[in-house]
């Protein structure tokens, strides 16, 4: 028969063990919120009031989840703090471990003294592939030309790294000064993008602050829509092989690499 004092000690030891074991159990994965990495807004006089344009970049630090159904809220207030314009902008899905550049514009009857950009928390959905499977759409031959009215004309080409054709892609352009500061941006679309047949995009960005000098143009392309399904479908279809042309030279009579290894 076990003495009562020893029984109490064993029970206490068991409780301590259970507490320690429960604390070591893996906790549910906590997803990090999207981060508004950069933002800029500009206000210019227009024929029917004031044009408010903006640009920003959202980043997703979660490597296994799409950030979906994201809505940016742009609010402009006058010097007294009164709201003079508000717009909810539905944004495209933010890819796993990636970022999302976005731009927009709205007209305001009165001139805002301050413009803020906020966003609603994303809805998270697990991705069917790892982050490296979601390849960027290559952009090439980008030209940025300043116009007489101080706007900028941007042209270039967008390719498709996937086997399946992309029915439509949105092209976002961000303009920066010499120091890398974000000045503004714009967006356009390209359709029926097939691997090896890059379509050309053309867009004009206006409304930059007076005296702005653009020194760098960042161009990104992506699938559009509030969910990541279009991007995921392309990734599941597979990427185009990097090397598709057979070598034309004759193979070496002796494998020089193997020979060098044998000699050493």
């Amino acid at each position: 028969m076990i003495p009562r004092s020893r029984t109490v000690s064993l029970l206490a030891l068991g409780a301590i063990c259970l507490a320690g074991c429960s604390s070591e159990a893996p906790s549910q994965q906590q997803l990090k919120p999207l981060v508004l990495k950069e933002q800029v807004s500009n206000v210019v006089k227009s024929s029917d009031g004031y044009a408010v344009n903006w640009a920003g970049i959202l980043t997703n630090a979660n490597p296994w989840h799409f950030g979906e159904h994201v809505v940016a809220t742009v609010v402009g207030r006058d010097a007294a703090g009164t709201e003079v314009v508000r717009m909810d902008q539905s944004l495209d899905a933010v890819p796993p471990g990636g970022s999302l550049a976005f731009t927009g514009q709205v007209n305001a009857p009165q001139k805002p003294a301050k413009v803020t950009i906020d966003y609603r928390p994303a809805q998270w959905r697990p991705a069917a592939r790892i982050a490296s499977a979601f390849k960027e759409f290559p952009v090439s031959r980008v030209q940025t030309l300043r116009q007489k009215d101080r706007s900028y004309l941007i042209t270039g080409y967008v390719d498709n790294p996937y086997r399946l054709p992309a029915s439509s892609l949105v092209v976002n352009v961000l303009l920066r000064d010499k120091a890398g500061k974000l000045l503004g941006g714009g967006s356009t679309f390209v359709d029926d993008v097939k691997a090896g047949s890059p379509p050309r995009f053309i867009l004009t960005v206006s409304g930059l602050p007076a005296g702005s000098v653009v020194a760098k143009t960042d161009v990104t392309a992506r699938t559009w829509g509030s969910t990541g399904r279009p991007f995921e479908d392309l990734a599941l279809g597979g990427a185009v092989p990097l090397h598709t042309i057979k070598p034309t030279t004759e193979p070496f009579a002796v494998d020089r690499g193997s020979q060098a290894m044998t000699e050493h």
Side-chain angles (χ1 to χ4, degrees):
M1 183 175 180
I2 301 176
R4 187 172 183 276
S5 59
R6 184 174 298 179
T7 302
V8 173
S9 300
L10 289 173
L11 290 174
L13 182 62
I16 294 173
C17 180
L18 288 174
C21 293
S22 62
S23 64
E24 293 176 0
S27 59
Q28 187 177 3
Q29 182 184 11
Q30 298 296 319
L31 296 177
K32 299 178 181 179
L34 296 176
V35 175
L36 187 58
K37 182 180 178 181
E38 290 183 274
Q39 63 170 306
V40 68
S41 59
N42 299 301
V43 181
V44 295
K45 189 75 175 69
S46 64
S47 58
D48 53 352
Y50 294 88
V52 182
N53 56 70
W54 60 87
I57 299 178
L58 279 172
T59 59
N60 178 8
N62 302 294
W64 297 100
H65 291 76
F66 275 99
E68 300 183 331
H69 303 290
V70 184
V71 177
T73 301
V74 181
V75 178
R77 301 179 183 275
D78 61 17
T82 303
E83 184 177 300
V84 295
V85 66
R86 171 184 288 266
M87 179 178 177
D88 289 334
Q89 179 185 13
S90 296
L91 301 181
D92 300 320
V94 189
S99 61
L100 172 77
F102 64 95
T103 66
Q105 182 170 307
V106 67
N107 290 327
Q110 302 176 36
K111 183 178 181 179
K114 182 179 181 182
V115 178
T116 59
I117 304 175
D118 201 355
Y119 66 93
R120 300 173 192 169
Q123 296 180 23
W124 299 105
R125 182 176 62 82
R129 298 291 301 275
I130 60 176
S132 60
F134 299 98
K135 301 181 181 298
E136 295 182 355
F137 295 90
V139 179
S140 61
R141 291 176 280 175
V142 176
Q143 289 187 320
T144 304
L145 303 173
R146 183 182 172 93
Q147 306 299 296
K148 293 181 179 180
D149 61 355
R150 296 187 303 177
S151 65
Y152 284 84
L153 177 68
I154 299 95
T155 65
Y157 293 82
V158 179
D159 208 342
N160 183 357
Y162 301 100
R163 295 179 184 271
L164 298 176
S167 59
S168 185
L169 297 177
V170 58
V171 179
N172 275 287
V173 171
L174 300 180
L175 303 179
R176 301 179 181 276
D177 63 12
K178 185 185 298 185
K181 180 182 178 181
L182 183 60
L183 299 173
S187 302
T188 188
F189 290 88
V190 288
D191 299 322
D192 192 25
V193 185
K194 300 175 182 177
S197 301
R200 188 187 188 200
F201 68 86
I202 303 174
L203 78 156
T204 301
V205 177
S206 58
L208 299 182
S212 298
V213 177
V214 173
K216 183 181 180 183
T217 303
D218 294 335
V219 183
T220 56
R222 65 172 189 278
T223 57
W224 65 283
S226 60
T227 75
R229 292 293 185 187
F231 202 179
E232 204 166 50
D233 289 343
L234 291 174
L236 290 172
V240 175
L242 294 178
H243 304 288
T244 57
I245 301 175
K246 294 182 180 180
T248 57
T249 56
E250 293 293 331
F252 293 123
V254 178
D255 188 337
R256 298 176 181 176
S258 300
Q259 183 179 9
M261 291 293 291
T262 304
E263 292 175 354
H264 288 76

